[in-house]
Amino acid sequence: MAALATTAFAAHATDNPATGKLLFEDTMNQTGLSFTGNCTSCHTNVQNRRAEIHFKTGGGSRDPFAAIDAETALNRIGYALNNVSAMKQFQVLEADQLTDLAAFIADTPKTSDTALSFSASAVNTPTVSQNLDLRNGVTFGQVTVDSVAIGGTGAARFTLKSDTCTAQKLAASATCRATISFSAADTAGYSATLTMTMHQGSSTTKFTRTVALDGAVGVVTPPPSGGNGGGTSGGNNSDEGGGALGVAWLGGLAIATALLRRRQGRATR
C-alpha cells in the first residue's frame, strides 16, 4: 500500500472518526499487524498531533483544538508516511484506515460556514436571517458554549436574532444554532466577526470558532414619485413649473391664450 502515501487523499463523508480513534490509540491490536509502536508512540495524544498539523499548515500556533479539516489531516499523514522514518512502517495500512485516522484527528467542533455574506434590498431594511450551526465532533467529548458574540468595526450593522448555543452543553454530534441578519442606513460595505467561545468537558482552557460576516445594500431605493429630485426630469414640484414639462405647459398656455383673443376679436367685429 506504499503507493497510497504518494497521493493527496480525499476525505469522504463515510470516514469514521470513532474507528480512527481506535486505530490511533491501539494501532497494533486494531490492525493485527506488527509495528514498533502505536500512533501514540510518536504523538502522546490526538491533541498533540492536531496541534502539529495546524502549525505546519500555516495555522501560526500549535492549537490542540484547531478546526482543521479531514483532507488537511490526510495530506499530512501522507507526507509523514513518505518522509518520516518512524512513520514509514504504517504504509501498509489500508486507504480507509488512513482516512479514518484523518477523520479522528479532524474531529473537533465546527461551524456550518466559515463566512456569511448579506445583501440588503434597501437601506434600513433588514435582510433575511441566515442560520449558522455549530456541530460537535463524534469523539471530541462534551463541549460547553460559553458565549456567542459579534465584534469588529461593522458589528452594529449585524444582529444576532436568536442563539441556542450560549450556555448549551453539546454532546457528541449535537448541534446548536445562531441566526444573524444585516441592515444598514447607507450603501457602504460592512464587515464583522461572529465568535463562538467554548471549552471541552471540565477543562478551563477556552477555544473559539470564528465566522467572517460582510454585508452591503445591494439596491438603493429611489426618491418618492413627485419628490424634489432636481434636474430637468420634471422632479421639481414648485409653482414655477420647472423642467421640460413645465416649459411645454407654459408654451401651450400661451398659444391657447392667443387663439382665444383672436376669436374674441372676430366676435366683436
Side-chain angles (χ1 to χ4, degrees), residues 238-261:
S238 70
D239 292 337
E240 296 177 0
L245 181 60
V247 172
W249 183 83
L250 287 174
L253 179 61
I255 293 172
T257 301
L259 289 173
L260 179 60
R261 286 176 178 173

Side-chain angles (χ1 to χ4, degrees), residues 113-158:
D113 293 280
T114 56
L116 293 176
S117 293
F118 298 81
S119 180
S121 61
V123 295
N124 297 317
T125 302
T127 62
V128 173
S129 297
Q130 294 193 49
N131 296 325
L132 179 72
D133 292 338
L134 174 70
R135 181 184 179 88
N136 193 13
V138 176
T139 63
F140 194 77
Q142 180 177 279
V143 169
T144 301
V145 182
D146 299 297
S147 64
V148 177
I150 298 175
T153 56
R157 307 298 180 180
F158 298 88

